[in-house]
Amino acid sequence: VLETAVRVADEGGIEALTMRNLAEALEVEAMSIYYHVPNKEAVLDGVTEVVVREMLDATPAIADPEDEEGWKRAMRAKILASRQVLLRHPWAPAVMETRKALSVAVLEYYDGVLGLFRAGGFSYDLAHHALHALGSRAMGYAPDSFEPDTDDPGHDDPMVLLGAMKERFPHLVEMLQNVSHDAPGATLGWCDDQTEFEFGLDLMLDGLDRLRRSG
Amino acid sequence: VLETAVRVADEGGIEALTMRNLAEALEVEAMSIYYHVPNKEAVLDGVTEVVVREMLDATPAIADPEDEEGWKRAMRAKILASRQVLLRHPWAPAVMETRKALSVAVLEYYDGVLGLFRAGGFSYDLAHHALHALGSRAMGYAPDSFEPDTDDPGHDDPMVLLGAMKERFPHLVEMLQNVSHDAPGATLGWCDDQTEFEFGLDLMLDGLDRLRRSG
DNA sequence: ACCTGAACACCGTTCAAGT
DNA sequence: ACCTGAACACCGTTCAAGT
């Protein structure tokens, strides 16, 4: 029932997940879903539950490292594995943001993360702060503030555009000219999401490890 | 025009911001808005523009610190000031997440952040990574993964509930019992958002400062 | 140039009714 | 116990028509 909902969202995006579409995919006619499910909110709760359970299944083995130093490696592996799951369900982060109550799967997930912190010798207090600090990164995603502006403002010569932008956003333009290698004119679409995600994640994990050691 | 849209959202929440409601607030009847604005997406673009410009106005003075070491202080002040703006518009982060194109105000904002990094001696490459790492934190908010579950599962004795949860989520329950002081049974609603935000922010800024110094 | 009214396609949801 | 059809309230949006 919920798994077909996930499939509908995977294929047509989240906006394709309407009650009528879902009913069609279930080969049942229209409003029969309401017998099994109270409302659409429950469907959205359900699909995130399915996705998070996929994450849990993705990392069953690495839950409890023996050595204290191994917490970082295990945490990193767990989070990056979850990220792989999310890449198969690109709509999931947005839906998860809108869930206010914590589902059972999410609680299990955070419990596992906490377990890793504890295995690494974190106090509950520090582990609690750490969980907040990681935020959505603990579930394998980060709000991607940067997307290319594919609209008209760039439909003329990109070099001319850069020049025009230079007075308004001097540092941004300078950065673009210094960092971008392969695609000189392509505004901001060239960022390697995986690299950036790991950079931020490691920054967090290294900082937390330092706090752990200093007590 | 857009400012009244912000007011409507401030008063009634984001779900109250419908074209018909907005028209009523403008004391104009219904569909006249479409003469001034192409569609609702443009309205949402507009309101984030207004909010981000509020952020820009909130920190005009601290844009360029002389000393290299001051970058962190200035960045922290800028971000926390933006956070104060967002507290007046609690619906704004969710809307900003859904914008894909970068508005002029957002570009200006990021340009200012970049300027602070540069003033601190960051290379453009490191500053670029830093921007990604900060993510939404650069704009004063972080995805708050934790909200209390106010629904029925807790309508019996909280201590009994904790006991029942203990086998499924041992680390979570243990953490709750160790960290929570003032409100022992109140699931997870007691977290101090401001404290947690600053903890995560400082973790990032400290890590970035360390990378900056090591070259 | 600016606003309006009626209408359309679509959404989540209710409810009495079928088997 | 499970499904259906018709209907309701609401949404964003179109378009020909008004001043």
Side-chain angles (χ1 to χ4, degrees), chain A:
Chain A
V1 196
L2 294 170
E3 277 154 18
T4 54
V6 170
R7 213 188 53 237
V8 168
D10 284 344
E11 288 169 4
I14 189 59
E15 70 274 10
L17 182 55
T18 72
M19 296 306 259
R20 286 168 173 86
N21 267 358
L22 176 55
E24 191 180 357
L26 284 165
E27 285 180 332
V28 79
E29 244 132 291
M31 310 316 168
S32 317
I33 314 170
Y34 282 91
Y35 181 80
H36 306 275
V37 137
N39 50 35
K40 185 171 185 182
E41 282 295 286
V43 174
L44 294 179
D45 285 344
V47 294
T48 71
E49 185 87 5
V50 170
V51 170
V52 175
R53 200 147 299 280
E54 255 188 78
M55 292 181 186
L56 289 170
D57 294 342
T59 56
I62 56 174
D64 229 355
E66 306 87 56
D67 57 324
E68 265 207 6
E69 304 300 319
W71 81 269
K72 202 163 70 176
R73 202 178 339 110
M75 184 75 75
R76 200 171 190 278
K78 181 185 180 68
I79 289 177
L80 291 180
S82 298
R83 182 176 173 78
Q84 289 305 308
V85 171
L86 283 182
L87 291 182
R88 295 201 299 270
H89 311 295
W91 46 270
V95 175
M96 282 162 47
E97 292 295 325
T98 65
R99 303 304 86 200
K100 29 183 88 93
L102 300 149
S103 70
V104 175
V106 173
L107 285 171
E108 271 182 45
Y109 188 90
Y110 280 126
D111 197 67
V113 172
L114 260 180
L116 285 183
F117 279 132
R118 289 295 289 168
F122 284 68
S123 74
Y124 275 113
D125 191 54
L126 182 54
H128 172 242
H129 286 310
L131 218 49
H132 275 283
L134 277 179
S136 65
R137 245 177 265 263
M139 306 269 293
Y141 67 98
D144 40 9
S145 9
F146 270 168
E147 281 303 316
D149 190 344
T150 49
D151 271 5
D152 4 353
H155 80 301
D156 28 15
D157 183 5
M159 279 338 240
V160 175
L161 179 70
L162 271 189
M165 282 172 58
K166 191 147 192 164
E167 44 199 61
R168 296 198 68 169
F169 321 113
H171 299 105
L172 268 179
V173 172
E174 201 73 37
M175 182 186 76
L176 282 173
Q177 289 169 337
N178 276 273
V179 180
S180 140
H181 293 303
D182 15 334
T187 325
L188 280 154
W190 40 263
C191 302
D192 183 339
D193 286 341
Q194 183 71 24
T195 303
E196 300 305 340
F197 181 84
E198 293 188 23
F199 179 87
L201 178 60
D202 288 335
L203 201 60
M204 279 281 173
L205 296 183
D206 289 343
L208 290 171
D209 200 41
R210 210 169 284 116
L211 289 180
R212 173 185 73 90
R213 275 200 297 263
S214 72

Side-chain angles (χ1 to χ4, degrees), chain B residues 94-186:
Chain B
V95 175
M96 282 162 49
E97 292 295 324
T98 67
R99 304 302 87 200
K100 28 182 87 92
L102 300 149
S103 70
V104 175
V106 173
L107 284 171
E108 269 183 48
Y109 188 90
Y110 279 126
D111 198 68
V113 172
L114 260 179
L116 285 184
F117 278 133
R118 289 295 289 168
F122 283 68
S123 74
Y124 275 114
D125 191 53
L126 183 54
H128 171 243
H129 286 311
L131 217 49
H132 275 283
L134 277 179
S136 64
R137 244 176 268 263
M139 306 268 294
Y141 68 99
D144 40 8
S145 8
F146 271 167
E147 280 303 315
D149 189 346
T150 49
D151 271 4
D152 3 353
H155 79 302
D156 27 16
D157 183 5
M159 280 338 240
V160 174
L161 180 70
L162 271 189
M165 282 172 58
K166 190 149 194 164
E167 43 198 61
R168 297 198 67 168
F169 321 113
H171 299 105
L172 268 179
V173 171
E174 201 73 36
M175 182 186 76
L176 282 173
Q177 289 169 338
N178 276 273
V179 179
S180 139
H181 294 303
D182 15 334

